[in-house]
Structures are given as structure tokens and as C-alpha cells.
Amino acid sequence: MGTVVETSRPTFRWRPLKGATTYALNVYDSSLKNVATVDRLSAAQWTAARPLKRNEIYTWQVTAVKDGQEISSTVPPAPEAKFKVLGQPRAEEVSVAKKSYPNSHLILGAVYKKAGMLDDAEREFKALLSANPNSPAAQKLLQNVKSLRQT
């Protein structure tokens, strides 16, 4: 939620609802057109069957079935579950960085942050901090990415 994803076929994951028997997932584009629907999922994840349009913002919603009742996620006042699929030029930059600097948590974290890939940037900066636990710079980079999630 609230991030940019590199792949045009993202995997959606959510916390399972205790006692839920199945889930349904709906994905909507920025004009609220339904672009993907899947029903009767038993697992709390699903990977898009077809590529989503790059550089587009999407909203998604999960509905759980528990005791015959439907319980939807992200209903007001909760924020909408939004994400963006990375545009092609930026996706190519990310791909080059991953190939060129596969072991550099600093460079990859910075590239991911610039692309808006906050989950990936946070993961890289956590690894950087783990490798350099006394580094104020690593701590600051991680805090900065975390603060972006709150805005």
C-alpha cells in the first residue's frame, strides 16, 4: 500500500482474517474502472494474471467471506489501498542498478527511493543499517523512507 511496484504483474498480499473461508480481490485503475477481479481465493495472496498498465495508479480491495458474511478491507475511514506500477523508463533504470550494483544496499536503496519503491528502499536501508549498526547516515536514510510512508 502507498508504494510503487516494479513489476506490471504484482503479487497482492494481505493479512488473513481468522475464520475467513475465501477472499475476493478487485483492482481498479485511476478512473475507478475494474481491471482485475478474482473470487474464491483460499490463500491471502494473488498475482495479477495479466500485466497492469505501467505508470498508472491503482486501488485494490479485498473482501473476505466469514460465516457467510462479506467483510471488505479499506472501507472508510481507513485509507484506500493504492499503489503505482513503475513507468518503463524508471523500470529500466532500476533493472540496470540491480545488475550493476547487486550488493550495494546504499545504491539500491537510493535508486528504489527515487523510484518511489518504498518497500524495496526500506529493505535495502535496513540491510545497510544491519551491516553498519553505528552509522548515523544509515539510520537517517532508513528513518527518511519510513517517514515517507506517513505522508
Side-chain angles (χ1 to χ4, degrees):
M1 285 186 13
T3 193
V4 176
V5 297
E6 181 179 4
T7 179
S8 61
R9 291 189 56 228
T11 297
F12 299 85
R13 293 179 180 88
W14 56 93
R15 285 189 201 102
L17 177 65
K18 187 173 182 167
T21 53
T22 60
Y23 300 94
L25 177 94
N26 288 286
V27 181
Y28 304 93
D29 67 15
S30 58
S31 62
L32 300 180
K33 177 183 171 199
N34 188 304
V35 295
T37 298
V38 61
D39 293 314
R40 297 188 197 119
L41 291 168
S42 57
Q45 72 174 35
W46 176 75
T47 301
R50 293 182 300 166
L52 299 176
K53 185 177 174 185
R54 289 201 169 274
N55 210 35
E56 178 79 34
I57 295 173
Y58 295 92
T59 304
W60 62 292
Q61 184 177 45
V62 174
T63 302
V65 176
K66 178 180 176 181
D67 300 327
Q69 293 191 348
E70 293 185 354
I71 302 164
S72 293
S73 66
T74 64
V75 293
E80 292 181 305
K82 290 189 174 195
F83 68 98
K84 181 178 180 179
V85 175
L86 195 60
Q88 189 61 41
R90 185 75 67 178
E92 290 170 10
E93 288 175 22
V94 168
S95 179
V96 167
K98 286 167 61 175
K99 290 176 186 168
S100 300
Y101 307 100
N103 299 314
S104 176
H105 300 300
L106 175 61
I107 292 174
L108 290 177
V111 168
Y112 293 149
K113 180 184 170 209
K114 182 179 176 185
M117 298 169 59
L118 301 181
D119 294 339
D120 300 283
E122 185 172 335
R123 182 189 69 244
E124 292 297 334
F125 290 146
K126 280 181 179 177
L128 178 65
L129 184 58
S130 178
N132 303 278
N134 297 320
S135 169
Q139 291 172 357
K140 187 174 181 179
L141 288 166
L142 180 57
Q143 268 316 111
N144 182 264
V145 169
K146 287 182 176 183
S147 72
L148 291 174
R149 293 184 176 287
Q150 298 169 358
T151 57

